[in-house]
Amino acid sequence: MRNGDSMYRAAFKVLEILEKSDKPVTCSEISNTLSISGSAVWKHINELRAIGYDVSSTEDEGYLLDKRHMDFRPHAIDKYLKTRVIGRKMRYFESIPSTIWYGKDLAEQGGLDELHGLVIIAGEQTGGVGRMGRAWVSPSGGIWVTLVLKPNIPIDHLFMLTLAGSVSVARVLRKMFDIGALIKWPNDIIIGDKKVAGILLELGAEGDRVKYCLVGMGIDANISVDTLNESIRHMITSISNEVDQEVDRAVVLAAILKEFEVRYDMIEQGEYEPVIREWKNFSSTIGRRVRINTLRNSFEGEAVDIDPTGALVVRKDNGKIEKVIAGDCVHI
């Protein structure tokens, strides 16, 4: 949202005025309060609308802000954000089919230098996507975001971004809530044997040249497990369910973005080993007996390691070592 100072700082001052009023505020009132021109007011109103605020207007009465769900809008997150780049640009949608689909559409249109670090946030997703195209239940109360990145990372190390995302979420849950969050290969964050979050990586490339990466994060923050479909209820938990109270999603997301940026910078500098070591420390998979299901076959063995590309190293029952790049991993 800012490189140095927030590019939206002036717009947020307009937002503060609208937030305090229960009735429409005229352009001249805003202009006089902030000592800015009427055209500047109009510009900042449009900036607020572009990043996801519902500001209605009439020629006679002025501007009126829809104040629903303000606790998870960009200005609320920005209050806690301590990053340089990641999240310094945001777009919020009350409801959207999928943040990762939206990010892909944006990235394919170009302007990636400007998009780098953008965080797309949804109040809910109506068509959330998980690994291998599976549906991801994304009701109101969760943290549903996609990070748009233009990485300077070799294509064979891009999976490191999934590791960085998983480590970042697990670290924040552990530090902020004293929850024993672990990582289940390849991209699930679990508490006990129940999933609380997942990471999804998508990329656009031309040959060996990476154009962009999208890191999707889905976190069950303030989700009542009892409201979920009965078929998945036993597999899912939420932060609020674990700590027995609702959590401040803005604080949680800001902390995750900071943790991610630290590891993203390390990966861009080729410092892979510290991130891999952290992932291993949080792994619930290494050392476990697992069943691997890929598009080609299924087998069982012991998960013994991950390699620098993120592949799971499994010692099969016949002693043969197999590296799994993509597939489902079941703890048995």
Side-chain angles (χ1 to χ4, degrees):
M1 191 153 296
R2 61 177 175 262
N3 296 308
D5 265 328
S6 173
M7 62 184 290
Y8 297 127
R9 192 64 58 208
F12 283 166
K13 289 181 179 178
V14 174
L15 181 68
E16 288 175 6
I17 294 172
L18 299 179
E19 261 196 296
K20 293 174 183 175
S21 177
D22 293 325
K23 60 183 182 180
V25 184
T26 66
C27 179
S28 60
E29 287 176 310
I30 300 172
S31 178
N32 291 336
T33 300
L34 298 179
S35 299
I36 58 176
S37 66
S39 60
V41 172
W42 179 81
K43 173 190 171 187
H44 296 322
I45 292 291
N46 284 336
E47 287 174 341
L48 292 173
R49 287 168 172 164
I51 61 175
Y53 292 92
D54 185 356
V55 183
S56 59
S57 61
T58 63
E59 191 170 333
D60 296 331
E61 295 183 319
Y63 300 106
L64 182 65
L65 174 69
D66 184 338
K67 300 176 185 176
R68 292 176 295 175
H69 310 300
M70 292 295 284
D71 62 328
F72 197 50
R73 299 280 178 135
H75 77 291
I77 299 162
D78 185 68
K79 291 176 185 177
Y80 306 103
L81 204 56
K82 296 179 180 179
T83 58
R84 294 178 298 100
V85 177
I86 306 295
R88 293 305 178 178
K89 296 184 282 283
M90 303 186 213
R91 296 190 190 181
Y92 176 89
F93 297 90
E94 191 68 35
S95 180
I96 193 174
S98 166
T99 58
I100 211 156
W101 289 353
Y102 182 81
K104 189 171 185 177
D105 286 343
L106 278 182
E108 290 292 345
Q109 293 171 25
L112 291 166
D113 288 333
E114 180 63 26
L115 289 173
H116 177 65
L118 172 69
V119 176
I120 303 160
I121 306 161
E124 68 170 5
Q125 294 181 122
T126 57
V129 180
R131 286 184 59 249
M132 304 174 76
R134 297 189 182 104
W136 177 271
V137 179
S138 315
S140 178
I143 297 173
W144 320 119
V145 301
T146 290
L147 285 56
V148 183
L149 305 170
K150 185 185 178 185
N152 181 25
I153 302 169
I155 195 166
D156 60 346
H157 279 80
L158 284 177
F159 190 81
M160 293 291 303
L161 297 179
T162 302
L163 305 188
S166 300
V167 167
S168 299
V169 174
R171 278 181 60 90
V172 169
L173 296 188
R174 284 170 165 264
K175 289 197 303 183
M176 195 170 286
F177 304 107
D178 196 26
I179 294 174
L182 295 171
I183 304 169
K184 178 177 176 287
W185 187 91
N187 67 339
D188 291 344
I189 294 86
I190 62 173
I191 300 171
D193 59 354
K194 295 184 177 182
K195 181 173 179 175
V196 70
I199 310 297
L200 182 64
L201 177 66
E202 296 232 352
L203 61 93
E206 292 177 349
D208 289 338
R209 187 178 71 87
V210 180
K211 295 194 298 181
Y212 64 85
C213 278
L214 306 172
V215 179
M217 298 182 179
I219 304 164
D220 295 321
N222 296 325
I223 305 294
S224 173
V225 177
D226 292 340
T227 64
L228 300 176
N229 189 292
E230 195 170 339
S231 64
I232 63 172
R233 199 178 297 167
H234 66 288
M235 302 183 294
I236 304 294
T237 190
S238 66
I239 304 173
S240 60
N241 187 63
E242 296 295 324
V243 301
D244 203 29
Q245 66 181 31
E246 288 205 349
V247 300
D248 189 329
R249 292 179 294 163
V251 174
V252 174
L253 179 55
I256 290 170
L257 295 179
K258 175 59 177 177
E259 295 281 358
F260 181 83
E261 184 174 82
V262 169
R263 284 151 191 83
Y264 179 84
D265 289 344
M266 293 168 66
I267 294 167
E268 279 211 321
Q269 293 162 18
E271 298 176 16
Y272 308 131
E273 184 54 37
V275 179
I276 293 173
R277 186 165 57 246
E278 280 189 304
W279 190 96
K280 289 180 181 179
N281 287 340
F282 292 148
S283 174
S284 69
T285 300
I286 294 176
R288 292 282 295 266
R289 183 167 176 79
V290 296
R291 180 184 303 113
I292 301 297
N293 300 313
T294 72
L295 295 175
R296 295 184 294 108
N297 63 354
S298 297
F299 61 89
E300 296 181 3
E302 181 187 358
V304 295
D305 204 354
I306 60 166
D307 75 4
T309 67
L312 184 66
V313 181
V314 179
R315 182 185 294 114
K316 298 169 72 172
D317 292 341
N318 61 9
K320 181 180 177 182
I321 295 295
E322 184 102 10
K323 291 188 177 183
V324 186
I325 298 173
D328 285 330
C329 173
V330 180
H331 292 174
I332 56 177

